[in-house]
């Protein structure tokens, strides 16, 4: 694809900042940023790299990692310096201990509305049937979601075996009496199979009901509506039955939102200077923003670096709120 060209950061910064930038460089120094192996984390790490280098004079390097090794290494070895998209609920005890021991700090949510999982239907179907707002409402209408192998039954599309969300959906299917209401739970076989079932239904304007999550490029490309669970979150039920496949009698409960935070080593937080920390405390975006950006990445076969420039060029109203005006001006100069 066409690469997105932008002005040399060094030339712009040198011309516009002078001695002040030299001081920022001294304060910030080198920073190693962990880019997890999925699109949203990849582009967020590139956004951070661009802003830290062009706005604060840091010397930034991105390394590819994953949640468990990156966060564990930050706590035990003090590297990498930053995990822009840390899914802390995957390692709650480890993260809590790292914070308590003064090894890492949280700058706050990377995703303002958290990572969301649940059951979804297409917006066109929700608009046609405004009475369908909850999982139970949808399960009252198997005729709207015909199963591929037996159209006399409704279908709930599930993720592939081995996913945590797949196991949870199996328990929720029991909790909401899916089989008794005339539905079958369809094993998608793979992530591609799940995506394909949604895309096929959407392109044909057919009914579709199934498990999915955000942020994802699919929800940026296809306008889907997450169904309400019609129940409050019961953490005892969630932890001891919904997430336990052997539990024989699951009950309806909401699906908890996963906390996705930006984590920094304490060493970097202390040496980077107050400006960088204020940026990280302010820097947060929504699932809708990330979904749309990931869809653009997929459609254009774009890298995280390309997507970071695209985001900065097209979303100034959002990112300028993360930065003081003098830093925001450096970013404007660097992308134009």
């Amino acid at each position: 694809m066409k690469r997105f060209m932008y002005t040399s950061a060094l030339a712009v910064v040198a011309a516009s900042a002078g001695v002040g930038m030299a001081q920022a460089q001294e304060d910030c120094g080198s920073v190693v940023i962990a880019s997890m192996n999925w699109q949203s984390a990849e582009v967020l790490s590139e956004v951070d790299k661009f802003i830290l280098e062009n706005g604060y004079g840091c010397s930034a390097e991105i390394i590819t990692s994953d949640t468990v090794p990156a966060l564990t290494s930050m706590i035990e070895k003090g590297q990498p310096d930053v995990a822009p998209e840390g899914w802390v609920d995957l390692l709650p005890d480890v993260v809590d201990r790292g914070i308590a021991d003064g090894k890492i700090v949280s700058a706050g949510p990377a995703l303002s509305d958290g990572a969301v999982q649940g059951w979804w239907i297409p917006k066109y179907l929700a608009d046609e049937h405004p009475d369908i707002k909850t999982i139970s409402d949808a399960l009252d209408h198997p005729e709207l979601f015909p199963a591929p192998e037996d159209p006399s039954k409704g279908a709930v599309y599930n993720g592939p075996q081995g996913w945590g969300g797949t196991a949870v959906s199996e328990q929720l299917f029991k909790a909401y009496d899916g089989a008794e209401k005339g539905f079958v739970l369809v094993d998608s076989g793979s992530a591609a199979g799940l995506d394909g079932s949604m895309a096929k239904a959407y392109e044909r304007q057919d009914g579709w009901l199934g498990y999915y999550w955000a942020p994802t490029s699919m929800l940026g490309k296809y306008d889907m509506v997450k169904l309400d669970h019609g129940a409050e979150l019961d953490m005892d039920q969630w932890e001891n039955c919904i997430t336990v496949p052997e539990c024989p009698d699951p009950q309806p409960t909401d699906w908890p939102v996963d906390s996705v935070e930006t984590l920094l080593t304490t060493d970097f937080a202390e040496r980077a200077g107050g400006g960088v920390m204020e940026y990280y405390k302010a820097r947060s975006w929504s699932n809708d923003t990330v979904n749309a950006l990931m869809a653009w990445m997929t459609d254009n076969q774009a890298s995280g670096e390309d997507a970071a420039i695209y985001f900065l060029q097209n979303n100034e109203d959002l990112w300028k709120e993360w930065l003081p005006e003098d830093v925001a001006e450096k970013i404007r100069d660097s992308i134009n």
Side-chain angles (χ1 to χ4, degrees), residues 47-48 51 56 275-283 322-323:
V47 168
D48 281 355
I51 288 177
Y56 293 97
V276 171
M277 280 306 298
E278 289 305 310
Y279 159 66
Y280 272 119
K281 289 177 182 178
R283 195 268 287 122
W322 304 342
L323 304 167

Side-chain angles (χ1 to χ4, degrees), residues 11-12 30-31 44 69 81 85 94 98 117 173 179 196 203 220 231 237 251 307 310 314 318 322 327 334:
V12 171
S30 299
V31 53
L44 186 54
D81 297 298
E85 191 176 298
V94 172
Q117 300 182 75
F173 188 78
E203 289 161 6
Q237 175 68 206
Q251 299 299 310
Y310 177 84
N314 292 278
L318 173 57
W322 304 342
V327 176
S334 299

